[in-house]
Structures are given as C-alpha cells and as structure tokens.
Amino acid sequence: MVLFWGVIILLVVVLVKVLSGLGNDRGGGGDAEDDPLKILEQRFARGEIDEEEFERRRRRLRGG
C-alpha cells in the first residue's frame, strides 16, 4: 500500500515539473530584445550598478 501511494506521489511531482517547464521554454518566440533590459534592471535593483551606469547602459541597449 505504501509503495502504491509513493508511486502516485512521484507521478504527480513529475507531472507538475513537466508542466511547469513547458511555460519556461523560450523557443525563440518571445521578445528577445527585452531580456537584456530586464537583466540590467535586476542588476540595478540589487545594487550591482549605480544609477549613472544603469542609464548609460539602458541608452546603449535602446540604440541611442
């Protein structure tokens, strides 16, 4: 009986991991241009770069 429930729980965990992984698949269909800007914003939010560096890099990413 314990083995039966263990297998059921394992199947549920594997199913959840597989289904959650499908939403994270990049596949080249998204806005690839937004990714560097999001990374830059995250670095600024974490305090890795200051405001001047953030603005300079943001202008460069936007092409201006």
Side-chain angles (χ1 to χ4, degrees), residues 48-60:
E48 294 177 14
I49 57 175
D50 61 6
E51 187 174 358
E52 181 181 327
E53 181 72 10
F54 172 76
E55 291 297 331
R56 184 179 65 81
R57 290 181 183 214
R58 186 173 68 170
R59 282 192 302 270
R60 185 177 295 164

Side-chain angles (χ1 to χ4, degrees), residues 19-35:
L19 291 177
S20 67
L22 291 177
N24 295 335
D25 188 19
R26 308 278 321 218
D31 290 330
E33 294 177 349
D34 288 342
D35 291 338

